[in-house]
Amino acid sequence: MILGYTRHDGVYLPLTRMSNTVDVVYPQNLDVANNVFVWHHSILECSNGITIEEGCQIGAYVLMASHSSHLAIRLYGSHFIEHNGHHQGYIRGGIKIGKFTFVGPHSVIMPGTSIGKGSIVSAYSLVKGEFPDFAILAGNPAQQVGDTREMDKKQLARYPELQSYYDEWAKSE
């Protein structure tokens, strides 16, 4: 794990940790904030843009793909290549991961997905669509199965000295 990451625009993020086994495709389209952790063997395919906000943790073997040809390849069959990237059924869309969100290992984040801040994506989930802040997501396809604020409330009651830290990000836009 490497501490410190330099973004494509030359901005150094001293608290961002990116494994040396992470593959960033189209790094010029990755908008990553400080204090982000991306674990081993993840793939960030950023052709249509990926935003990972402050404090996110991305587990091992996660795929974030901002495009998908899974429908177009069947529509075109052996003629797929000759159409040179201009395909009907080709799915494109940016991905946004909100502040202090955890994406569990082996999850797949599909094009056009937006996950709100403070969320948890359970391991092995297939996530597609828009999800609110504080969502707990699980399944294939992923669905909201809970709200992290319920879990957080219990921990904050146990450790009240952390409430001000939590409020700094949880109550911000």
Side-chain angles (χ1 to χ4, degrees), residues 35-142:
N35 198 21
V36 167
F37 176 87
V38 184
W39 206 16
H40 303 305
H41 306 292
S42 290
I43 299 171
L44 309 178
E45 186 288 310
C46 307
S47 61
N48 292 286
I50 293 178
T51 298
I52 304 173
E53 294 185 339
E54 177 189 8
C56 290
Q57 294 185 353
I58 311 301
Y61 298 96
V62 168
L63 169 62
M64 292 187 193
S66 67
H67 83 273
S68 179
S69 60
H70 73 275
L71 174 57
I73 192 74
R74 292 189 313 282
L75 296 175
Y76 287 87
S78 62
H79 300 276
F80 183 84
I81 294 296
E82 67 194 63
H83 287 270
N84 196 26
H86 303 286
H87 302 95
Q88 299 300 320
Y90 198 92
I91 302 166
R92 293 177 177 84
I95 294 170
K96 180 183 176 200
I97 311 297
K99 290 181 179 182
F100 299 97
T101 288
F102 176 84
V103 177
H106 299 277
S107 292
V108 176
I109 312 297
M110 295 294 287
T113 295
S114 179
I115 301 170
K117 69 182 177 185
S119 295
I120 293 175
V121 175
S122 297
Y124 295 93
S125 293
L126 174 66
V127 185
K128 181 180 180 184
E130 293 194 23
F131 298 92
D133 294 345
F134 306 103
I136 299 174
L137 308 174
N140 182 355

Side-chain angles (χ1 to χ4, degrees), residues 138-156:
N140 182 355
Q143 297 179 13
Q144 184 172 354
V145 297
D147 188 310
T148 60
R149 289 173 290 200
E150 296 302 314
M151 182 179 358
D152 297 344
K153 189 184 310 180
K154 292 175 187 171
Q155 291 300 312
L156 290 167

